[in-house]
Amino acid sequence: MRTVLVYLLALAALAAAALFGLDGLTETTEAAPERSRGSSPPPVLVIEVATAPFEDVLSALGTVLANESVEVTPNRADHIAAIHFEDGQHVEAGHLLVEMQADEERAMLGEAEALRDEQRIRYRQQQELHADGMTPQRDLDNANALLQAAEARVLGLRAAIADREVRAPFAGTLGLRRVSEGAYVDPSTVITTLDDLSVVKLDFTIPEVWLPNVSAGMTIETTSDAYADTTFSGEITMVDTRLDPRSRSATVRARLPNRDERLRPGMLLKVRVERGQAPVLQVPEQALIPVGEQHFAFLVGDDEIARRTEVQIGRRRIGFVEILDGLGTGDHVVVEGITRVRDGTPVQVVEVLAPGKGI
């Protein structure tokens, strides 16, 4: 009997404990919304979406080329008799650089010039005799033919001697001398290099989508690591007619003044080409929330409720992103305090930033 009584008392105690726990849970559950409703909304900064100029700039790397460039080589194989230039010398077009051995040709030229002078005298004598009727036309023609042959012989020897001289084909700056007097050279021997650096060419590539916006006459700005504080300006002269089938890019050539010759062939320049500043709808980068390939922004209305809105973005520049769809002029989007904002919840707008201002 005592065992049954103890068992009944234990059951009553368990029921009372369960009832008390349920009441406490109910009280806690009912109190939670009260505390939630009593919490203040997160403070945020918003910015007004507006249309503003959007500078579209292409950055590329270009290689400097000389305006004119050539490796100076001899026309014939022979020994060098004399060198008439120094390393790095600036020369004009036609300047004599190297003389090859031509003693035999000069001796033959002297003989040919003497024969030519003799034939000239004979021709003049025949002209006088023919004018007096003392010689037939045949003798005059024969004297004229001998004179022409002698003159052709002189011209041929002079050309042979000139062929043994190496001259600058255009005005420019010479490179290092690579030969010495007495050296045996042939047409494959590089004597030196010659570059016209008063103006340099710059080749760089642009993507296919930029083709409609890049044309001859456009101005470019370039910089070099060698002259970090200097900007070199130039002008586009040509866009190649063919694209690289692998990269789908086109080569662009520009010309840059280089009077001080600081730019050298082979240098790497950073190129900046502006496509224009058309006004577009844009927001600061901080206003966007990337989710995979999608982008969202928190749109805040007059009721100060944040609503997550999907947006379509376009081009980017430092600090700002072009908006193609999802927002309109005059909308307010959250740019500061965004981590505490939830879709459909109220926010406390601390300040409305002016359009175009970044954080």
Side-chain angles (χ1 to χ4, degrees):
M1 186 67 179
R2 181 180 296 177
T3 302
V4 174
L5 181 59
V6 170
Y7 180 72
L8 292 175
L9 290 173
L11 288 177
L14 288 174
L19 180 61
F20 178 79
L22 181 60
D23 290 341
L25 179 61
T26 303
E27 180 182 358
T28 301
T29 304
E30 292 175 352
E34 294 296 330
R35 287 196 295 268
S36 176
R37 284 193 294 268
S39 62
S40 60
V44 296
L45 297 180
V46 299
I47 193 169
E48 182 179 337
V49 181
T51 299
F54 194 95
E55 185 181 34
D56 199 358
V57 177
L58 170 69
S59 297
L61 295 176
T63 301
V64 175
L65 306 171
N67 184 42
E68 300 291 347
S69 180
V70 68
E71 291 184 334
V72 180
T73 59
N75 295 323
R76 293 176 175 272
D78 211 327
H79 291 86
I80 293 178
I83 297 176
H84 301 282
F85 71 92
E86 299 293 335
D87 296 345
Q89 180 180 344
H90 182 82
V91 297
E92 298 298 327
H95 181 87
L96 179 61
L97 303 177
V98 170
E99 289 183 273
M100 312 290 287
Q101 293 288 354
D103 293 341
E104 182 179 354
E105 285 78 4
R106 289 191 177 91
M108 295 172 63
L109 176 61
E111 179 183 354
E113 288 177 338
L115 178 60
R116 177 204 58 192
D117 294 342
E118 181 182 350
Q119 293 298 333
R120 281 178 178 172
I121 295 173
R122 290 182 178 178
Y123 178 66
R124 292 194 189 103
Q125 291 174 347
Q126 290 296 326
Q127 282 182 315
E128 294 174 358
L129 293 173
H130 181 70
D132 295 337
M134 299 178 63
T135 57
Q137 181 66 37
R138 179 183 59 191
D139 290 345
L140 180 61
D141 293 342
N142 184 50
N144 185 38
L146 291 174
L147 175 58
Q148 291 181 0
E151 289 177 341
R153 173 70 173 165
V154 170
L155 292 175
L157 289 170
R158 286 179 178 174
I161 294 173
D163 204 36
R164 293 177 178 271
E165 297 174 345
V166 181
R167 296 181 178 271
F170 51 83
T173 302
L174 297 170
L176 299 175
R177 177 165 62 90
R178 304 184 187 181
V179 295
S180 301
E181 291 186 3
Y184 182 83
V185 295
D186 60 40
S188 65
T189 304
V190 177
I191 296 173
T192 186
T193 58
L194 177 63
D195 296 308
D196 175 12
L197 301 179
S198 59
V199 175
V200 295
K201 301 171 184 175
L202 180 68
D203 284 359
F204 61 95
T205 58
I206 60 171
E208 181 180 356
V209 294
W210 271 72
L211 282 176
N213 305 98
V214 177
S215 60
M218 291 182 62
T219 300
I220 64 169
E221 293 183 351
T222 68
T223 56
S224 167
D225 290 340
Y227 310 105
D229 298 330
T230 304
T231 299
F232 301 93
S233 298
E235 182 179 289
I236 293 175
T237 59
M238 175 67 181
V239 179
D240 200 356
T241 56
R242 296 186 180 185
L243 273 66
D244 186 326
R246 291 171 296 181
S247 63
R248 304 300 176 187
S249 60
T251 299
V252 179
R253 173 163 292 178
R255 287 168 61 91
L256 285 72
N258 189 38
R259 295 181 183 86
D260 52 7
E261 297 190 356
R262 286 192 291 175
L263 299 178
R264 302 294 182 89
M267 287 181 68
L268 188 69
L269 296 185
K270 300 172 184 177
V271 185
R272 176 185 172 90
V273 183
E274 295 185 3
R275 186 159 63 172
Q277 297 188 9
V280 299
L281 204 66
Q282 55 186 287
V283 297
E285 291 180 329
Q286 298 93 326
L288 297 180
I289 307 170
V291 179
E293 296 183 355
Q294 295 176 301
H295 293 82
F296 297 88
F298 278 111
L299 181 64
V300 179
D302 294 337
D303 56 0
E304 294 196 349
I305 300 297
R307 295 176 175 82
R308 197 174 81 155
T309 305
E310 183 177 359
V311 297
Q312 301 295 324
I313 66 171
R315 298 165 293 172
R316 293 178 179 266
R317 65 181 177 92
I318 298 176
F320 290 88
V321 181
E322 179 186 12
I323 300 299
L324 302 178
D325 191 23
L327 298 175
T329 303
D331 289 343
H332 290 168
V333 293
V334 178
V335 290
E336 184 70 18
I338 200 169
T339 56
R340 300 179 59 191
V341 179
R342 298 294 179 268
D343 184 26
T345 61
V347 293
Q348 179 185 356
V349 178
V350 177
E351 182 182 359
V352 179
L353 300 178
K357 183 177 180 181
I359 301 300

